[in-house]
């Protein structure tokens, strides 16, 4: 399996998109093409440069501060130069000075699965359904459960009749196992054939994209390169190891209720990376402590440092 990956960051700024792109390029020296969404749709085969994309017809404004939404889209990346350019782009965003995110904005990771057979894709999907609840706990509250912009593959799965909801881990596991084609797997994992699921398979549908990818949409958008790098490596390990190891079993009732056990199982049997395990153990703990408003709207946390609300109060010496 190749190590090709692409990313998309949903962001907003008070500054015009072309100004944002120029500022990022001045800092990073990484080519960044600024274009409207309609033009990007016509040029998706040209995937050599980073792109900043916005929609002139998009009247969505955020609050009273008149933020403009845009996407940062990478070319196909691999370890080395690709990740180094990602670091430079994200450092360049800091120079803009008015870039921010809201809880509806995501950080999307596309993994090239061109070399995976149907049976291997089935194992990836079975593991995602199996571990979706514990992966939710690695995210802020706005990315957990089922939302319009971040739908649950697990909760939305339907039976063979296309109507009955599947409520048990065993039934979901067997429904994925029964898929006889990639098209059927897409329909099972993304009911309604829409892309706004935590695991999006719509790029696998015939003619959708020149490169066959699956997309992880669970992560909140970020300006922190270390957060981005860790999630990219997590997604790559999840797909690679799910595909090459034996078919997973479904979680029984006892295991599905013990979230700490699920966390250990995910990293021991699927991710198999001690550094990632330690990083997400801390992150999971911090997300369960901080409030939603702290996580989503704190610029200090977005820069990678702790905000006032996140710092532990200093103990006063006894008098």
């Amino acid at each position: 399996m190749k190590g090709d990956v692409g990313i998309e960051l949903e962001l907003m700024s008070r500054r015009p998109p072309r100004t944002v792109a120029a500022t990022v390029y001045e800092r990073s020296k990484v080519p960044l093409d600024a274009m409207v969404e309609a033009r990007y749709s016509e040029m998706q085969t040209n995937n050599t440069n980073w792109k900043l994309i916005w929609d002139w017809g998009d009247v969505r404004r955020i609050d009273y501060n008149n933020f403009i939404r845009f996407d940062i889209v990478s070319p196909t990346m691999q370890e080395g130069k690709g990740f180094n350019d990602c670091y430079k782009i994200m450092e360049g965003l800091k120079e803009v000075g008015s870039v921010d995110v809201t809880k509806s904005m995501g950080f999307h990771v596309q993994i090239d699965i061109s070399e995976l057979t149907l049976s291997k894709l089935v194992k990836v999907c079975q593991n995602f359904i199996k571990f979706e609840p514990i992966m939710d706990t690695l995210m802020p509250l706005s990315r957990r459960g089922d939302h319009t912009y971040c739908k649950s593959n697990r909760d939305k799965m339907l039976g063979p009749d296309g109507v009955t909801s599947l409520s048990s881990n065993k039934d979901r596991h067997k429904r994925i196992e029964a898929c006889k084609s990639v098209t059927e797997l897409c329909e099972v994992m993304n009911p309604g054939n829409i892309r706004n699921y935590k695991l999006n398979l719509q790029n696998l549908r015939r003619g959708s994209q020149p490169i066959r990818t699956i997309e992880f949409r669970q992560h909140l958008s970020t300006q922190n390169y270390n957060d981005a790098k860790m999630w990219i490596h997590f997604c790559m390990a999840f797909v690679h190891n799910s595909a090459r190891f034996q078919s997973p079993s479904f979680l029984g009732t006892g295991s599905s209720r013990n979230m700490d056990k699920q966390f250990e199982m995910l990293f021991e049997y699927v991710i198999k990376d001690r550094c990632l395990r330690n990083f997400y153990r801390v992150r999971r703990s911090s997300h369960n402590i901080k409030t939603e408003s702290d996580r989503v709207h704190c610029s200090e946390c977005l820069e990678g440092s702790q905000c006032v609300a996140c710092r532990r109060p200093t103990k006063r010496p006894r008098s």
Side-chain angles (χ1 to χ4, degrees):
M1 177 178 167
K2 296 187 294 185
D4 293 349
V5 61
I7 67 169
E8 176 181 330
L9 285 164
E10 297 177 334
L11 302 164
M12 63 182 184
S13 174
R14 297 188 187 95
R15 304 182 71 182
R18 293 191 187 279
T19 303
V20 174
T23 303
V24 172
Y25 175 74
E26 183 64 26
R27 172 66 171 81
S28 68
K29 302 304 180 185
V30 176
L32 178 62
D33 300 334
M35 60 182 65
V36 295
E37 187 172 12
R39 181 165 172 250
Y40 173 68
S41 298
E42 299 170 357
M43 298 178 60
Q44 289 196 59
T45 55
N46 178 16
N47 199 31
T48 57
N49 289 350
W50 286 76
K51 293 174 176 61
L52 187 149
I53 305 158
W54 75 100
D55 185 354
W56 279 122
D58 190 352
V59 296
R60 291 174 296 176
R61 303 288 177 169
I62 309 299
D63 298 328
Y64 55 86
N65 291 315
N66 208 32
F67 280 97
I68 300 173
R69 297 179 61 141
F70 61 88
D71 298 339
I72 297 285
V73 181
S74 79
T76 300
M77 301 190 302
Q78 291 183 326
E79 291 279 8
K81 184 179 184 301
F83 279 67
N84 188 44
D85 285 350
C86 180
Y87 169 77
K88 291 177 179 178
I89 288 285
M90 297 187 78
E91 286 296 299
L93 285 169
K94 296 178 182 179
E95 295 295 316
V96 177
S98 66
V99 176
D100 209 339
V101 304
T102 69
K103 63 184 180 180
S104 67
M105 295 177 176
F107 169 44
H108 306 153
V109 177
Q110 297 99 26
I111 306 294
D112 182 359
I113 51 82
S114 299
E115 297 179 358
L116 295 191
T117 62
L118 173 61
S119 62
K120 291 181 178 181
L121 277 172
V122 163
K123 291 191 289 184
V124 173
C125 293
Q126 286 176 324
N127 263 337
F128 190 88
I129 294 299
K130 178 177 182 177
F131 290 112
E132 182 187 318
I134 192 61
M135 290 167 66
D136 271 359
T137 69
L138 310 181
M139 306 294 157
L141 293 176
S142 60
R143 312 303 290 186
R144 302 182 190 182
D146 185 60
H147 299 278
T148 301
Y149 43 83
C150 192
K151 293 181 179 294
S152 169
N153 302 81
R154 180 176 179 271
D155 294 345
K156 294 294 186 181
M157 187 174 293
L158 302 175
D161 60 4
V163 177
T164 307
S165 296
L166 300 180
S167 57
S168 74
N169 295 326
K170 181 179 180 179
D171 288 343
R172 298 183 188 106
H173 185 89
K174 289 186 174 297
R175 181 69 186 97
I176 296 171
E177 186 178 50
C179 290
K180 303 301 182 183
S181 68
V182 172
T183 299
E184 183 181 4
L185 183 62
C186 291
E187 294 169 350
V188 168
M189 290 296 292
N190 302 156
N193 290 324
I194 58 176
R195 65 177 183 169
N196 295 336
Y197 285 91
K198 294 173 187 176
L199 185 63
N200 168 31
L201 272 61
Q202 292 305 298
N203 286 348
L204 301 183
R205 298 180 68 82
R206 183 171 297 179
S208 177
Q209 294 290 338
I211 301 176
R212 297 174 74 239
T213 63
I214 58 175
E215 181 181 51
F216 290 78
R217 300 174 62 92
Q218 199 165 2
H219 202 289
L220 180 70
S221 188
T222 181
Q223 297 178 68
N224 186 304
Y225 173 71
N226 192 52
D227 281 354
K229 179 185 69 174
M230 289 298 192
W231 184 241
I232 293 170
H233 283 301
F234 178 97
C235 295
M236 293 175 70
F238 188 96
V239 173
H240 179 72
N241 291 337
S242 294
R244 72 189 184 100
F245 294 139
Q246 66 181 14
S247 297
S249 59
F250 60 88
L251 283 176
T253 304
S255 297
S256 63
R257 291 175 180 173
N258 189 328
M259 300 304 282
D260 290 336
K261 183 177 181 179
Q262 278 193 49
F263 179 89
E264 297 301 328
M265 290 172 64
L266 170 62
F267 283 91
E268 181 177 355
Y269 299 121
V270 181
I271 304 302
K272 294 184 176 292
D273 187 303
R274 185 177 299 177
C275 181
L276 288 173
R277 182 198 63 190
N278 293 340
F279 176 83
Y280 282 108
R281 179 176 285 149
V282 173
R283 177 168 170 160
R284 178 176 174 234
S285 177
S286 67
H287 277 324
N288 289 331
I289 294 174
K290 290 191 286 184
T291 65
E292 179 71 4
S293 59
D294 290 336
R295 284 194 295 271
V296 175
H297 300 293
C298 173
S299 60
E300 287 183 82
C301 287
L302 288 172
E303 293 294 330
S305 58
Q306 284 187 314
C307 65
V308 174
C310 302
R311 297 181 191 129
R312 292 183 180 181
T314 303
K315 293 184 178 180
R316 296 181 179 179
R318 293 181 180 179
S319 55

